[in-house]
Every structure is written in C-alpha cells, then in structure tokens.
Amino acid sequence: MLQSNGDNRVFLFLQGPHGPFFSKLAVMLRRSGATVWRVGFNAGDKVFWRDQQNYIPFYDTIENWLSTFQKILDDKDVTDIVLYGDTRPIHAQAVKAAHEAGIKVHVFEEGYLRPHWVTYERNGSNGNSRLMQMTVQHMELALQKADIDAPLPPAHWGDMRQHVFYGAIYHWFVMFRNQKYKNFRSHRALPVAREFQLYLKRLMLMPVLAIDRHIATQQVRFGGFPYHLALLQLEHDSSFQMHSSFNSMTDFLELVIKSFSCGAPRHHHLVFKAHPLEDGRVSLRREVSRVARKYGIADRVHYVRGGKLAQLLNETRTAITVNSTAAQQVLWRGIPIKVLGNAVYDQPEFVNRQPLSKFFTAASRPDGAAYKIYRRYLLETCQVPGGFYSARGRRQLVRQMVDMMLSPIDPYDALKVGTAAPRQQLRLVT
C-alpha cells in the first residue's frame, strides 16, 4: 500500500462520534510521527479528548468560526483535517475552506454496510461521496485486482448500548459543564437539555422498549398476511435532512401510506420499522396511526420500535426508504427496494425505478449479481471493520485506520492502482 509515516503531517480533528474513538485514533497517529490537534466546541468534546495540551477550545460564535478555523490552519501548519459527518454547519465550512487551501479532508461516518463496519472517505460522505458518480461497471473493473470473498453481513448491531451510553454522557457534560462554551449551538434543532433527557429516557426504558418491540414484531411475523416494510430514519439525521426532499418524517409517512392505500392489494399490510436509535422526539407511532386512519387503512398498518431488522426482512415482499443504510441488508437478501432520496447505493441495476403505486403491486427484483459487485467494492475501499462505540470495535478500527489516513491517495484510488490495504477478517464487535 502506498503510504508514508506521519512525519511532517499535522492533523486537526473537529467533532467526532460520541465517545473516545477520536482520542484513540489520535494516539496512534502520534506514534506514526504526526502532530495532532483537536478543536472542541463544547464540554462534551473536551471530556473525550485525552491530550488536553493539544486541545483548542472554540468559545466564539458560529459567525466567527470560519475566520478562526483559517487562522488555526495557518498557525499550526495543518496538512489534514478529520471530522465525523460533513454536513453540520461547522464541518461544511471547514471542508470548503480546506479544499481551497489544498488540505486533505478525512471524513468518518456510520458504516454504509453497518453494523460491523464504519465508513472512511476523503472529502465527503453520503450524498457528497465519490460513490455518487460511480457505476457498477466502474466498480467491477476496479475489482479485477482484488480476489477475496466478501464477508457476510452480521444480523445485529453489536454496540447499541455503548452508543446510547456515550450519547448520554456527552449531552450531560454539554448540559451541566458547558459554562465556558456559552456560544455553543448544536447543529440539531432540539435544545441540548432535551437531547440529554431523550438519551437518558431511552437508556432507562431499554427493557420496556424491548418487550414492546418483541410483541409488535411477533404480531407481524405470525399475522399470516403479506406485508411491505418501510424503513424509518432519524428525522434529524444529516442524510435525511441534506440528501432528500422531505422536510420531516411525517412527509415520508404521508407519501408512503397514501401510495400504499391506492396501489397495494387489499389483503397486504404495511409495516413501519423505527430506527434503532429513535428517541421519541417525534411520536412516530402516533403519526403512523393518524395518517393510516386518514386514508382508511389503520387496520393494515403496523409500527415496530427499532430492533433487529433481519426478523422482519425474512418474509417481507418489498422495502421502501428515503436513503437508510439498512437498505443494504434488504438488497443482500434480493428484496425489491424503493429509494426516495439520494443514496450511495442508488444504482439502476438493483434499486427499483417503478412508480410507487406499481411498486406495491408488482415490484421488479434487484440484480443480485450487480449488488454483490457493489458490496464487494465497498468492503475493498471505504468500509473498515470495527466500530466507534465498543472498546473491541475501536481497537479493530484503529488497527487499520492510520495507514489508510497516511496514504497519499484515497481508498477508491488505492484499489484502482492495486495498493489497497489488505482487509482484516471481520470479528464480532461487542
């Protein structure tokens, strides 16, 4: 693999996933010879950063962020910036400025093939990813230099409890230890206090929610009716907000339920599955019931809280989503899927192009061979085994990550020229 050590490289970290992943990654980068700095925007950022000597607090307002960022780039001779998600305002401004200055941009995201992978790309992810301009034929050609079998997708998300736990800690510090960061404003619409309450409530109610989810799932599985599965997303998620035409999840519900009432056979049912991290900021169950009653099909519409997707996928006729990464599990099983937003997997070979009303009556199946090419390409390039939230997942991720970041070319070009890093065997992340 084309790479160098970290000498003369200066990495500036911005906001990362909740928890200690960015701090652990920084330790390994320093061992390579690189210099690492971190900008913190609130007390939650600070508490998870180990090296306080290389921590730069940003106390100012968002209006002054760009000028401050540019000054940091100059003062520290920054060569690389590292961030989690590229669409929140502070990151979008930083990415644009870094591009203009010729600075490398390293973007992390939740795995396109989650749960046991994370996404690493240069310059942008999701709707800003290079994948948006690639075809399956392009990927097949690049794979000629790779000759390994792609691992099977695991059936469950191994670090959900840690994810919720770190989220609760992060929001606690922002709520109660944020006095110095009085100008901090979250990129999300809800106040931080409300975010913390929702995380804490979800953490406390996990056993109750699991029972409710189990009952709802069994009612669908043993109901004896054919059904279609709608994959809900977090309304505040950047993929939903920035890479679709919907203003709210209710808009999505309205479109899907209306189309289903008009086009689906009368004995078919519609099942809405909530995102595993849905926190109740919007009562989706109430909204699903309200819209279903509006179109006269309340007895044929169901709502299931989070949980394992595999149980519901086993017998569904089709699936529909805005741009959820859960669609990857749908495609792996050869189930027809309709996508209503911009998604990195929206390839004509395996994503349905029929009108929505016809999709519910006679959906065409995806090209399984084409999807396997696509999936294998992702696993050879931007999908890295491991996880942000569990200790074992972080160890597995950091082991591979630093070499990929030090490489002069991104994962897609590395595969093309035959220098991609050898992929580790996938281990269960718990």
Side-chain angles (χ1 to χ4, degrees):
M1 180 181 181
L2 282 173
Q3 66 182 63
S4 62
N5 58 33
D7 294 346
N8 302 317
R9 299 284 288 274
V10 180
F11 289 83
L12 179 66
F13 282 61
L14 302 183
Q15 288 196 297
H18 299 151
F21 168 67
F22 262 17
S23 185
K24 299 286 187 182
L25 180 60
V27 170
M28 192 63 69
L29 279 169
R30 290 191 193 96
R31 290 176 183 171
S32 77
T35 301
V36 182
W37 295 90
R38 168 74 189 268
V39 178
F41 299 85
N42 57 56
D45 292 340
K46 182 177 181 180
V47 73
F48 289 119
W49 188 253
R50 179 183 299 180
D51 183 7
Q52 294 298 306
Q53 291 185 335
N54 283 39
Y55 177 81
I56 305 170
F58 178 73
Y59 298 131
D60 212 334
T61 62
I62 185 68
E63 289 75 20
N64 294 323
W65 161 238
L66 184 57
S67 60
T68 301
F69 175 70
Q70 291 171 327
K71 186 175 186 303
I72 294 171
L73 296 183
D74 293 338
D75 290 349
K76 305 300 184 186
D77 294 322
V78 173
T79 61
D80 304 71
I81 65 170
V82 187
L83 48 92
Y84 171 73
D86 61 337
T87 58
R88 62 184 68 179
I90 56 173
H91 287 173
Q93 291 182 49
V95 169
K96 185 174 185 296
H99 286 163
E100 293 172 352
I103 291 170
K104 288 185 175 66
V105 178
H106 306 266
V107 182
F108 286 90
E109 256 294 0
E110 302 293 345
Y112 295 148
L113 298 176
R114 66 181 67 170
H116 294 302
W117 293 271
V118 305
T119 298
Y120 166 73
E121 297 181 272
R122 302 276 176 91
N123 301 320
S125 63
N126 292 310
N128 297 324
S129 169
R130 283 185 63 184
L131 291 169
M132 299 297 293
Q133 283 73 53
M134 296 184 193
T135 65
V136 172
Q137 291 74 26
H138 170 104
M139 298 174 186
E140 187 173 24
L141 183 63
L143 283 168
Q144 289 180 355
K145 295 186 178 181
D147 188 25
I148 64 167
D149 293 328
L152 296 175
H156 69 280
W157 193 339
D159 51 6
M160 175 61 68
R161 285 170 295 183
Q162 294 96 324
H163 193 160
V164 175
F165 172 73
Y166 283 128
I169 291 179
Y170 175 89
H171 286 97
W172 187 90
F173 272 90
V174 175
M175 263 187 73
F176 299 111
R177 294 290 186 269
N178 221 43
Q179 293 84 354
K180 292 184 178 180
Y181 301 88
K182 60 183 179 180
N183 292 311
F184 171 71
R185 298 293 181 270
S186 173
H187 62 286
R188 294 177 177 172
L190 283 187
V192 173
R194 180 59 177 154
E195 290 264 7
F196 171 72
Q197 290 171 356
L198 291 170
Y199 268 100
L200 185 61
K201 179 180 177 181
R202 179 169 179 79
L203 200 59
M204 299 291 288
L205 291 179
M206 272 188 165
V208 176
L209 298 178
I211 294 172
D212 179 86
R213 179 171 60 244
H214 176 76
I215 292 172
T217 301
Q218 297 312 306
Q219 287 174 342
V220 173
R221 292 182 63 199
F222 298 103
F225 44 75
Y227 64 88
H228 305 259
L229 188 61
L231 305 173
L232 297 178
Q233 296 168 236
L234 299 177
E235 187 173 281
H236 56 272
D237 183 76
S238 61
S239 292
F240 181 84
Q241 292 289 335
M242 306 299 294
H243 303 303
S244 83
S245 60
F246 296 102
N247 294 318
S248 68
M249 193 56 66
T250 298
D251 294 341
F252 173 71
L253 299 178
E254 182 85 23
L255 175 61
V256 173
I257 293 175
K258 180 181 179 181
S259 300
F260 183 83
S261 68
C262 296
R266 292 183 181 179
H267 61 292
H268 285 209
H269 287 225
L270 178 62
V271 179
F272 287 93
K273 183 193 174 294
H275 188 278
L277 289 174
E278 181 57 53
D279 55 18
R281 65 185 62 193
V282 176
S283 180
L284 290 177
R285 170 173 279 171
R286 187 182 303 124
E287 282 296 282
V288 167
S289 298
R290 181 187 65 80
V291 180
R293 288 195 304 271
K294 175 181 175 180
Y295 291 101
I297 56 171
D299 59 331
R300 296 165 54 202
V301 178
H302 310 261
Y303 176 82
V304 178
R305 297 179 186 269
K308 296 180 183 179
L309 180 58
Q311 293 180 342
L312 291 171
L313 283 180
N314 289 337
E315 295 175 316
T316 188
R317 295 293 182 89
T318 68
I320 185 168
T321 185
V322 177
N323 50 20
S324 171
T325 56
Q328 304 276 2
Q329 293 188 48
V330 177
L331 288 165
W332 177 256
R333 288 166 171 79
I335 298 168
I337 188 160
K338 185 73 175 173
V339 176
L340 301 179
N342 299 324
V344 294
Y345 52 79
D346 190 5
Q347 297 285 347
E349 289 86 351
F350 44 78
V351 170
N352 197 282
R353 294 290 192 263
Q354 296 168 278
L356 195 52
S357 57
K358 187 177 180 181
F359 174 75
F360 287 121
T361 57
S364 56
R365 295 186 61 183
D367 181 338
Y371 177 69
K372 288 178 181 177
I373 292 170
Y374 167 85
R375 182 176 180 275
R376 186 175 166 217
Y377 181 78
L378 263 60
L379 290 171
E380 282 288 312
T381 54
C382 65
Q383 300 303 285
V384 188
F388 296 130
Y389 306 106
S390 70
R392 184 174 178 182
R394 288 190 295 272
R395 287 196 301 270
Q396 188 174 5
L397 185 55
V398 170
R399 188 173 287 123
Q400 179 114 337
M401 205 62 257
V402 172
D403 286 344
M404 295 180 71
M405 295 174 71
L406 293 176
S407 172
I409 56 178
D410 76 4
Y412 304 118
D413 290 334
L415 179 64
K416 186 188 304 181
V417 301
T419 61
R423 281 292 180 254
Q424 303 168 350
Q425 292 297 312
L426 182 70
R427 297 182 180 89
L428 200 61
V429 180
T430 56

